[in-house]
Each structure stands twice: as C-alpha cells, then as structure tokens.
Amino acid sequence: MKKEIICIECPNGCVLALEIKDGKIVQVEGNKCDKGVVYAESEIENPLRVLTTSVMSEGLSVLMVPVKTREPIPKDLMLKAMENIKKIKVKKSVEVGDVIVKDLMGLGVDLVATRSVR
Amino acid sequence: MKERELVIVGGGPAAMAAAISAHESGVKDILVLERDQFLGGILNQCIHTGFGLNHFKELLSGPEYAQRFIEKITGIKDIEISLQSFVTNLNSDKELTYLRPGEMEEVRARAIIMATGCRERTREMIHVAGTRPAGIFSAGLAQKLINSEGLLLGQEIVVVGSGDIGLIMARRFTLEGAKVKAVVEIQKESKGLIRNVVQCLDDFNIPLYLSHKISKIYGKHRVEKVDVIAVDDNFNEVQNSRFEIECDTVLISAGLIPENELIEMAQVEMDKKTNTPVSDEINKTSVEGLFVCGNAFKIYDLVDSVTKDSIIAGEMAAEYLGYKK
C-alpha cells in the first residue's frame, strides 16, 4: 500500500511517500533527513506527540506554569492526559526541566516545567 | 541627561540576542528597556514546542528557548536590564524618554537597537461585517489569556485566517476541551507552516476551509454565529455558497505588523505598506546608529531566524560604536 504523509519534525514539512506492507514501512521517499524515516515509522505504527500545556500555580510570580511531556506520548491519549493535568497545582518554585508529574498516567514519561518560576 | 553607549528597546528574543552579541563584540555599557515585568517577550506565551531546531539543534518550547537567553543575559554585569520600563519618546538625536515605576527617565544613547516586535492585525483590518459582541479575540491575545492567565475564552470556536498562531490556538482550544468548528482561510493555501496544519488541525479533525471567508459576525452580547462564504481567485464572493456556523468565539489570525511607532517619532524613513524602516541592508535605518532587529524589522517565521539576524544587529551596533571585529 502506498501512502503520503507530511513530516512534522521540523519546519521543512517534507512530503513523505510511504510504501507499507502488513502495517510496516518498507520504503520512505521524499525525506530530506533521517528524522523523516523515524517519524514515518512511528506515525504508521504508533503516532506520538509531545503534549504542551500550562498548569495553575499558587503563590508564585506567574499564574500559570508552562509544562510539556519530556518525551512524546501516544497521540490518542493527549485529551485524556489533559484531564489529568488540569487537576494539578504547582505550589513550589520550579526550574526548567523540573518534574511536575512523574510517570504521567503510567506512560513512563514525566511532565516537566518549561519555565523557571520562582 | 544620562548618557549610555547602547540602549536596546525590548526584552524578547531579538533584544536578548542583540544585547549578548553587542557585548561579545566589545560594547561595555548596555541598557535593556523591557516594558513587561519579565524578559522573554512573546516566547513566554508560546508554550508549544517547535523552537530552537536551528539555533540550539534541539526542539524547545517558547519559554525554554527564552530561558536560555535569560540565563545568559542576566549573568553579564555590563548589561543593565530595566524591567517595567516603557519608552514613550525617541528622537533622531537618539534621546529616549521612558517610564518605570515611580520615575520618568531620560537618556541619550550613542547607539540604539529597537527590538520592539510586532502586533496582530485586527478584525477591523480584514473588514468583517456584522455586530461587535464579546467573544472576538486576536489569536495571540487568546494565547496569552489561556496559556498565561488560565482563562478558557469560549466553547465553540471559529478561527479566521490560518496563520501559525491561529493553527496553534485551534489545537490549544481543543486540548482545553473546546470545540473548534472551523479554520477559515481566504487564500488557496494555509499561511502557516504545513507541519502546523498537520499537527494542529489534522490531528484533531478540525476542518480547514480554504478559499473561504467570514462575511458576517452575528450576536448581540456574545458572538452567536458567523456567515462563511466561498471566494474565487479574485477573492470575489461565490454566489449561493454562503453557510452559517454557530459559535461563541471568533479568533482572528490574520498576520502581524511590525511595531515601529517609536522610530517614526525619530523621523526614520518608513515603508508605509509594511510598516518597516526603509533600508537596503538588514537591521539598518535612515538614522545613523539607530538599528532595528527581529520582527520589528520584518516578520519572521521562526524565532531561530530572529536570533540569527539579531546577533548581526548587535555586531553592527558594536562596529558603529567603534569596536573592531
């Protein structure tokens, strides 16, 4: 089976022409770099996205602390993850990269702060 | 009047890159004037990833990208950073007036770099008919209110224009539990990066109407619905193509305009069409020693490119001040 997808790894947005057999990729064309191949494989087998949002703070210098999943998580779980993240309140100062939620929803991925807030 | 070697107006990515670069090129006395209470500029509200691939060879969020510059610039003692400092006047002798809490200051600079960024085009600029109810926001304003202030602005959203901020906000509203009913783009193609069409719209099955426009907004107190109509190649309305979308919120993502009111005060020669200084060389203006960089000089797609060209602005200012390369 042939399929075209657009790589989202960088602003180039390469159009990837895929040849798929039994749910596995056998050929990728159109990628300007190796990231395209990795992206295509993940996109066909288990699409992943980095989730970014912001969480409420209490008693800090800003109202909201921006956060992200340190690694990408399954695309289909983004909305579910948001429901969990909405309940969180950050009450202590944090540095960029500090863990806000360890092992988010048992996915093996931490939710981390993306801004230092004191 | 106090004298300073180099004054930089702004505290976002352009200003920080220019300040650090000017310092590295030898300038010893730098004053940075930022009107907000934090450095980082618009990056603070751009909580999505997509930044830094060129400059840092890493995928970063806006605040992370800003943080790297904030840490560097605050560690340089020759750079004075004055926050909550709003410049109200600038003249062609490079004299600035600015307000900071409790004080009005005047300073004469030997060189100035303006890194004042840009503002959003508004509903009024794209001529949408109808009423003026609550619920109409520019996309970047909505971004600030949601990401930095924690407000959800509506439940049923229509985005007008498919610039990157509009696409990013379509995803953001969806993640926050709102329903984005349509992104409406008058051109034949999206104005945003294709990756944003994929990861912000396609990922969430948000419809993108190309060659369509919003012809009317309805609602007395709050937005109630909009009229959408197809347009032909000359942007004329296609007969019998009108349909309605019920919504409570309209986001306008119709492009950015360089913010250059201050240099106009200094009689810098301006291109009225683009609102940028007339210049045959990057970062330069018609006033010697007055430089403009970042989105104030031209609208960039990527912050990495802003950084690259703002580093050049810092070097240009240093050279103008007599520091050899």
Side-chain angles (χ1 to χ4, degrees), chain B residues 69-204:
Chain B
F69 284 91
I70 292 169
E71 262 154 40
K72 193 159 184 190
I73 198 172
T74 50
I76 300 172
K77 65 172 176 24
D78 293 338
I79 302 179
E80 181 193 341
I81 295 159
S82 183
L83 299 173
Q84 294 177 280
S85 298
F86 188 87
V87 179
T88 56
N89 198 35
L90 171 68
N91 66 31
S92 53
D93 293 327
K94 298 195 279 289
E95 293 166 342
L96 294 128
T97 308
Y98 66 96
L99 299 168
R100 63 182 176 85
E103 295 289 338
M104 188 183 85
E105 304 272 7
E106 286 182 309
V107 57
R108 185 184 292 119
R110 285 179 54 213
I112 294 176
I113 300 174
M114 302 298 290
T116 44
C118 56
R119 59 176 182 257
E120 294 182 275
R121 294 183 75 211
T122 62
R123 171 205 180 167
E124 283 68 28
M125 293 167 165
I126 55 170
H127 306 295
V128 183
T131 55
R132 299 171 61 86
I136 304 169
F137 302 91
S138 62
L141 174 62
Q143 186 179 47
K144 184 183 170 88
L145 295 173
I146 292 183
N147 293 349
S148 304
E149 301 189 15
L151 303 167
L152 185 58
L153 304 174
Q155 288 299 333
E156 299 193 308
I157 322 293
V158 170
V159 182
V160 181
S162 65
D164 283 312
I165 312 169
L167 300 175
I168 299 276
M169 288 316 294
R171 173 176 62 184
R172 192 74 190 104
F173 270 95
T174 307
L175 288 172
E176 289 292 345
K179 170 96 184 140
V180 180
K181 293 190 146 182
V183 175
V184 182
E185 170 60 58
I186 195 167
Q187 305 283 345
K188 280 189 239 175
E189 287 181 350
S190 165
K191 284 200 282 278
L193 296 170
I194 184 72
R195 69 196 296 238
N196 284 335
V197 175
V198 173
Q199 64 187 351
C200 298
L201 303 188
D202 298 353
D203 271 6
F204 302 98

Side-chain angles (χ1 to χ4, degrees), chain A residues 69-88:
Chain A
T69 55
R70 193 172 339 245
E71 303 292 331
I73 63 169
K75 188 170 97 172
D76 297 342
L77 293 178
M78 283 201 286
L79 289 168
K80 190 98 206 295
M82 281 297 293
E83 285 173 27
N84 285 275
I85 293 167
K86 271 185 195 170
K87 297 173 192 154
I88 298 163

Side-chain angles (χ1 to χ4, degrees), chain B residues 185-240:
Chain B
E185 170 60 58
I186 195 167
Q187 305 283 345
K188 280 189 239 175
E189 287 181 350
S190 165
K191 284 200 282 278
L193 296 170
I194 184 72
R195 69 196 296 238
N196 284 335
V197 175
V198 173
Q199 64 187 351
C200 298
L201 303 188
D202 298 353
D203 271 6
F204 302 98
N205 300 314
I206 298 168
L208 170 61
Y209 294 92
L210 298 170
S211 298
H212 279 74
K213 70 173 191 179
I214 301 283
S215 56
K216 199 170 178 184
I217 296 173
Y218 298 85
K220 194 171 176 215
H221 301 294
R222 178 83 198 193
V223 173
E224 286 164 16
K225 63 179 182 180
V226 294
D227 277 346
V228 181
I229 196 160
V231 297
D232 64 20
D233 288 355
N234 301 314
F235 305 115
N236 295 316
E237 297 180 1
V238 176
Q239 278 198 336
N240 303 318

